[in-house]
Amino acid sequence: MISFLDLKAINQQYQKELKQACARVIDSGWYIQGQELQQFEAEFATYCGTKCAIGVANGLDALTLVLRAWKELGKLQDGDEVIVPANTYIASILAITENRLKPVLVEPAINTYNLSGDSIKAAITPRTKAILPVHLYGLISPMPEIMQIAEEHRLLVLEDCAQAHGAEIGGKRAGNWGHAAGFSFYPGKNLGALGDAGAITTNDADLAETLKALGNYGSHKKYQNLYQGINSRLDEIQAAMLRVKLKHLDNETERRRKIARRYIKEVKNQKISLPVWENNESHVFHLFVIRHEQREKLQRYLQNNNIQTVIHYPTAPHKQKAYSELNEMKLSLTEKIHDEVLSLPISPTLSKENVTYIIEKINGFA
């Protein structure tokens, strides 16, 4: 069986470095908010091109805390509207509703699966205060246009970079376009920890200081609490693991792109909708997502031919029980996407022979 993502194989490449980093933390005797975190934050900020990076417990917390911090700073208030793509993973929307803000679900562009400038403009109302573009599957959203719209309408922009570590437009990386950005380092991400982890990037020093307190029980100084905060801290072990893997991220991204180029060039099945990829730096291919009107049949066929695939995501957020108040919404394009998408293996450890085999089987699907 060709696995969808072999995390063991990915991490074995760096086994010696990872074990040394782990031993370094164990030997230090310091396991929360120590030198490993400080160094990873500095290194990740440099990688993204931002002034600040703040480690947090996971990607959802990264998004939730930014919106919460903007409320504490008086930039948002209960009931404000946040524009978000309707086809995103539910975490993007959870962060909005957790802060008692209103998600405005917008249909994506069918060729990119991301927000477009026109769709954002059509959704703006007097209550709109923020845009939450999601760089879905690893393709960065049209950020120059989004930032221009945000400036014209005085809107905050929070990038959801959970799947887009290192994606660029004109040499400017994801996480350095909006007023803040949230990253996930879930083990399956392009930059994956060996457990849950996340980070926020920003160039706003006041926001960064507020975030540091909010994620540490609302405190900058022990036993002195400025806010009713939470405990969301990136621990030393995961920071050390991420420092190792950050050094190899660009090489792994290029391997993903190499596989993507082969899929795009060599898959000839006319019933398959392939990703659109116009700018080499814009896509880091966290996922290689195709569409087919008979998705389940195709997935069974590939499974029977020992190729594991995954559906990202089978049910749109507005059709989830958690958001029953949205269940009657009609978002035909989003629903079509969720009914047809299928993710092919694109692990950086996938062999040339396996890629060839996958392409042959897809081309042979009737």
Side-chain angles (χ1 to χ4, degrees):
M1 176 67 73
I2 299 174
S3 63
F4 177 74
L5 182 65
D6 189 343
L7 289 178
K8 184 176 180 180
I10 289 173
N11 290 321
Q12 277 183 336
Q13 301 173 103
Y14 319 120
Q15 184 177 141
K16 183 178 179 181
E17 292 176 85
L18 291 169
K19 288 182 176 179
Q20 288 174 342
C22 188
R24 189 171 65 239
V25 175
I26 293 170
D27 292 344
S28 75
W30 196 286
Y31 309 119
I32 297 288
Q33 293 188 312
Q35 290 296 315
E36 295 292 340
L37 174 60
Q38 290 178 21
Q39 291 183 58
F40 172 70
E41 288 176 335
E43 290 161 5
F44 191 64
T46 297
Y47 180 82
C48 294
T50 58
K51 294 178 181 178
C52 306
I54 303 99
V56 294
N58 54 69
L60 174 56
D61 281 2
L63 298 175
T64 304
L65 283 168
V66 172
L67 295 172
R68 167 74 189 282
W70 280 337
K71 291 184 75 175
E72 295 289 352
L73 291 168
K75 296 183 178 183
L76 292 175
Q77 60 183 3
D78 286 4
D80 284 345
E81 295 178 354
V82 181
I83 293 172
V84 63
N87 61 313
T88 185
Y89 181 57
I90 200 169
S92 311
I93 298 167
L94 290 171
I96 297 169
T97 56
E98 175 66 18
N99 280 288
R100 298 186 296 280
L101 303 168
K102 181 181 178 181
V104 176
L105 306 184
V106 172
E107 296 266 51
I110 188 62
N111 60 328
T112 66
Y113 307 112
N114 286 337
L115 289 174
S116 68
D118 288 343
S119 65
I120 292 170
K121 290 176 185 177
I124 294 174
T125 76
R127 293 304 305 272
T128 306
K129 300 299 179 184
I131 309 169
L132 203 163
V134 181
H135 308 321
L136 202 62
Y137 309 145
L139 177 66
I140 191 169
S141 303
M143 293 309 299
E145 185 179 9
I146 290 173
M147 295 310 298
Q148 183 178 348
I149 293 168
E151 185 175 355
E152 289 172 359
H153 294 270
R154 297 183 180 181
L155 305 177
L156 296 164
V157 176
L158 170 56
E159 296 176 72
D160 186 336
C161 300
Q163 301 182 359
H165 314 73
E168 300 180 16
I169 297 176
K172 189 172 182 177
R173 281 183 165 148
N176 192 25
W177 283 94
H179 301 103
F183 287 84
S184 168
F185 304 126
Y186 181 78
K189 302 298 186 185
N190 290 27
L191 178 58
L194 274 68
D196 265 327
I200 299 160
T201 56
T202 185
N203 292 307
D204 184 336
D206 290 338
L207 176 63
E209 287 304 303
T210 304
L211 288 164
K212 288 175 184 178
L214 283 172
N216 186 39
Y217 298 97
S219 172
H220 283 301
K221 186 175 181 181
K222 198 169 185 178
Y223 305 130
Q224 295 182 17
N225 303 80
L226 298 174
Y227 311 105
Q228 297 177 22
I230 64 170
N231 176 12
S232 182
R233 302 179 296 199
L234 176 58
D235 68 65
E236 289 289 281
I237 287 284
Q238 297 305 336
M241 301 296 100
L242 288 165
R243 291 186 66 205
V244 170
K245 298 187 73 178
L246 180 59
K247 293 185 295 183
H248 302 284
L249 176 58
D250 286 345
N251 286 335
E252 289 202 358
T253 297
E254 189 48 45
R255 289 184 219 161
R256 289 175 180 271
R257 287 173 174 157
K258 192 172 183 179
I259 295 167
R261 289 187 193 102
R262 287 201 59 195
Y263 282 150
I264 291 170
K265 181 180 179 180
E266 298 176 38
V267 170
K268 302 299 184 181
N269 191 319
Q270 296 301 309
K271 297 292 185 180
I272 301 287
S273 296
L274 296 167
V276 172
W277 182 25
E278 297 176 348
N279 179 341
N280 184 64
E281 296 178 331
S282 66
H283 211 318
V284 295
F285 287 99
H286 171 59
L287 300 170
F288 191 93
V289 179
I290 62 174
R291 293 199 336 272
H292 194 284
E293 290 181 354
Q294 293 181 298
R295 189 257 312 280
E296 281 72 19
K297 185 177 178 181
L298 173 59
Q299 186 175 41
R300 286 195 301 272
Y301 164 81
L302 293 174
Q303 179 73 21
N304 291 338
N305 283 279
N306 297 310
I307 300 168
Q308 183 184 33
T309 59
V310 178
I311 299 170
H312 296 92
Y313 306 96
T315 306
H318 71 284
K319 294 297 183 182
Q320 298 283 358
K321 185 177 180 180
Y323 288 108
S324 58
E325 69 276 17
L326 303 176
N327 287 175
E328 298 305 313
M329 288 186 71
K330 302 298 182 184
L331 296 165
S332 58
L333 182 55
T334 291
E335 290 158 27
K336 176 181 174 65
I337 289 169
H338 284 265
D339 286 342
E340 296 182 357
V341 290
L342 187 67
S343 301
L344 301 181
I346 195 167
S347 167
T349 60
L350 196 63
S351 70
K352 292 180 182 178
E353 294 75 17
N354 282 345
V355 175
T356 298
Y357 177 78
I358 293 167
I359 292 169
E360 288 175 352
K361 291 304 174 185
I362 291 175
N363 285 337
F365 177 69

